[in-house]
Amino acid sequence: MTVPADALKDVQTLIHERLLRAIPVRECVHSARGRSILTNAQRHVKHSHLSVFDIRHCFPSVGPHRVRAALERAGFDSGVAALVARLTTVEHQLPQGAPTSPALLNAVLVDFDGKLDSMARGAGLTYTRYVDDLFLSGGARTGNLAQVVEKVVRRHRLELHPKKRFDWGPDERHTVTNIIINTTPSALPEYLESVGVFIADHGSGKAILTAADLERIKGKIGFVTWVNAEQGAQLARLLAAEMPQFRPSMPQKALTIEGTPGSVVAKQIRRTRN
C-alpha cells in the first residue's frame, strides 16, 4: 500500500471532498459513500449460485491517462482533469492508500460496471462490485455469464486473480466481502471463533487482556453485531460473563468505504483474505 505524504494527503482529501464526491456512482458499486461491505453482501442473500472475481493489481492497473479520461467523461474541464490526475497518481498508477483512489477507480470503471450490470440484469442475475472484488449471483445461469465477465475484464485491460476466482452452487458456503449470505448475512464462523477464544482465554487466565485488547474486542463485537445482531449478542453475553465490568457499546452506523465504526476490523479481515 502506498500512503501519500501528509501534505499531499491533505490536498487529496480536499480533492475528494470538493470534487470527487459529486461524481455519480452506479447502484451496483458499493465501495462508495453511504454503502458498505454489508450493503454489497445483502444484494446476494439467498441466491442459489454465486461467482466471485478479484481484479489483480487493480489500483496499479489504472494510470493517469485513464484517470484523466474518466474525469473528462464525468464533465471535468480537461485542464482540471489533468491536474487532478497528476495530484492523485504516483509512479503512473493509482496509489492504494490515497483517499482519492476508491472514488477515482469508480469513475474509471463506470462503463465497465455499467456493462456487467446490464448483462446481469438481462439474464435475471445480480452484479455488484466492492473496490476490486466482483460478485455475480442468481440461478443456474450464473456460471455461464461468469465466463463472459472474464472476457469483459480483459477487454478493459484488467486481469483477474486466478486463486481468488470461485463458483459456488446451492450446497456450498457463499461468502461475499467476508460475510456469509446463504440465508442471512452472518460473520464468518472462524472470525466468531477467534473472538470467542480470545475472550475465553482471558476468563480462564490463559491470557490477560490489556486495555488495547479490550478496545479491539469491543470493535470486533461491534462489527459482528452490525452484520448479525444475534451473533453479536452472543459474543457480548460471553464477554459479560467473563468480564462483568465490561459492557461493549455497539456502533450503530454502517461500515462504509469512508471509515465509519468498525472499519479497522474490516481491513483486518480483508488482509487475512489476501
Side-chain angles (χ1 to χ4, degrees), residues 47-226:
H47 292 184
S48 62
H49 292 73
L50 172 68
S51 293
V52 177
F53 315 78
D54 180 281
I55 301 175
R56 184 193 293 218
H57 308 310
C58 187
F59 288 108
S61 298
V62 178
H65 61 290
R66 296 183 76 173
V67 171
R68 177 176 178 174
L71 292 175
E72 289 179 353
R73 285 196 303 271
F76 282 56
D77 173 82
S78 60
V80 173
L83 178 60
V84 170
R86 287 199 297 271
L87 290 171
T88 57
T89 55
V90 177
E91 296 180 354
H92 305 290
Q93 62 188 35
L94 279 180
Q96 189 169 344
T100 47
S101 290
L104 289 172
L105 180 65
N106 290 344
V108 168
L109 296 183
V110 65
D111 291 339
F112 171 84
D113 290 319
K115 175 68 173 177
L116 293 180
D117 187 43
S118 176
M119 289 169 48
R121 289 174 183 272
L125 305 176
T126 298
Y127 163 79
T128 65
R129 178 175 62 81
Y130 189 87
V131 192
D132 55 357
D133 294 324
L134 316 178
F135 304 92
L136 183 70
S137 70
R141 298 177 64 186
T142 302
N144 295 332
L145 189 59
Q147 299 176 15
V148 181
V149 170
E150 295 177 354
K151 295 179 181 178
V152 174
V153 170
R154 288 193 294 269
R155 287 197 204 107
H156 282 78
R157 292 173 288 161
L158 297 169
E159 179 186 358
L160 292 177
H161 198 307
K163 293 184 178 180
K164 298 179 180 181
R165 172 73 179 88
F166 303 101
D167 293 298
W168 293 313
D171 298 323
E172 297 172 285
R173 187 173 87 172
H174 293 187
T175 304
V176 171
T177 45
N178 288 290
I179 296 173
I180 298 175
I181 46 89
N182 291 71
T183 55
T184 186
S186 306
L188 295 174
E190 50 267 38
Y191 186 77
L192 296 172
E193 182 180 5
S194 69
V195 177
V197 168
F198 205 37
I199 295 171
D201 284 350
H202 174 83
S204 66
K206 189 175 181 179
I208 303 300
L209 298 183
T210 65
D213 291 333
L214 292 176
E215 286 304 310
R216 282 194 289 271
I217 289 293
K218 181 179 179 180
K220 289 183 177 184
I221 294 177
F223 169 76
V224 173
T225 302
W226 172 64

